[in-house]
Amino acid sequence: MTARILIVDDDPHIRDVVRIAAEAAGYATLEASNGQLALTHIGRETIDLVVLDIGMPQMDGFDCCKEIRAKSNVPVLFLTAQDDEIDRVLGFQLGADDFVSKPFSPRELVLRIKAILARGKPQAKALRHGVLEMESAGHNCRIDGAQMVLTATEFALLSTLLAHPEQVHDRGQLIDQVYGPNNTLSGRTVDSHVRNIRTKAAELGCNDIIVTVHGVGVKLGACSR
């Protein structure tokens, strides 16, 4: 089935560039000129990924992402006019999956889209550790039977830890596993995703889902209640 990409940007030229690149790669597209229209599309239609501009009037990309995450775990790829690490950290804390800085290469954008969508591809095997259970085929993650809603990137990161529960992963290794090699993301990106996962697990009564090994990296915790 063809993935559907929602392109959200107040600049029609940018929307055209993204649309042409996405459709040339075989994706179906929808467009929205502002955050409110984007939320309407997400509420009514099946969307597989959102390409979301940060610098929009009225409702900026960050506020739009907050609203999206309140109702959906659809992957979000931010377009940003500045390569600011603070913006990236805030975006990842809000549940973004990746960033592309303007001006961007349409080819790079499509590769980022493909990488994000690949993280959610079904795998048959279900994995368990303590009260944590993950099943990639349905993008299901449960804590003691209760559903824990994760973004595609959070799911990929936690799956990596669960696949090797005794291994300590440094931040560079996790970035390579989740985003692929030859990227320029910093370790703070991983920290943001780890923080989000810990918060979501704690809300379900699990306070040791991921532990930090100081000076080395992170590993899966005991996953107890």
Side-chain angles (χ1 to χ4, degrees):
M1 184 179 294
T2 302
R4 304 184 79 192
I5 311 298
L6 174 61
I7 305 161
V8 189
D9 198 302
D10 61 310
D11 185 335
H13 172 67
I14 296 294
R15 295 201 306 273
D16 284 345
V17 171
V18 177
R19 174 180 54 78
I20 291 169
E23 291 181 353
Y27 300 116
T29 63
L30 295 169
E31 297 183 32
S33 58
N34 60 63
Q36 289 291 353
L37 286 175
L39 295 174
T40 298
H41 278 302
I42 291 170
R44 293 178 179 175
E45 304 177 60
T46 299
I47 306 295
D48 297 292
L49 182 141
V50 181
V51 176
L52 179 61
D53 182 39
I54 290 179
M56 295 185 294
Q58 297 179 346
M59 175 183 283
D60 68 15
F62 290 139
D63 288 337
C64 185
C65 187
K66 286 181 187 177
E67 295 294 328
I68 291 172
R69 282 290 164 263
K71 62 178 70 175
S72 172
N73 65 348
V74 62
V76 174
L77 188 158
F78 271 129
L79 296 179
T80 175
Q82 53 188 346
D83 192 10
D84 189 326
E85 187 176 13
I86 295 175
D87 275 355
R88 288 173 179 263
V89 170
L90 175 58
F92 285 128
Q93 288 174 343
L94 294 174
D97 292 270
D98 205 352
F99 278 79
V100 171
S101 298
K102 299 178 184 177
F104 56 85
S105 158
R107 182 173 178 274
E108 179 192 359
L109 178 69
V110 168
L111 288 174
R112 296 289 186 96
I113 289 172
K114 287 181 178 179
I116 293 171
L117 293 175
R119 293 170 206 159
K121 282 187 177 178
Q123 298 174 2
K125 189 176 180 181
L127 297 175
R128 296 176 178 82
H129 182 82
V131 296
L132 172 65
E133 179 182 356
M134 300 186 74
E135 189 235 327
S136 295
H139 193 81
N140 288 318
C141 180
R142 290 178 286 271
I143 298 290
D144 202 19
Q147 191 77 21
M148 181 165 68
V149 178
L150 299 174
T151 67
T153 302
E154 292 164 358
F155 194 94
L157 191 154
L158 188 56
S159 294
T160 298
L161 298 180
L162 180 56
H164 306 280
E166 301 303 321
Q167 180 178 338
V168 179
H169 300 256
D170 66 37
R171 287 160 177 78
Q173 290 172 331
L174 286 173
I175 288 173
D176 287 347
Q177 286 287 331
V178 175
Y179 289 94
N182 303 318
N183 59 75
T184 58
L185 296 174
S186 74
R188 294 181 67 183
T189 298
V190 172
D191 295 340
S192 297
H193 292 312
V194 167
R195 188 180 305 113
N196 289 346
I197 293 169
R198 283 172 170 162
T199 298
K200 292 176 180 181
E203 290 172 353
L204 297 175
C206 176
N207 293 296
D208 58 357
I209 191 166
I210 298 175
V211 297
T212 299
V213 180
H214 293 289
V216 184
V218 296
K219 63 178 290 188
L220 195 69
C223 299
S224 59
R225 291 196 68 171

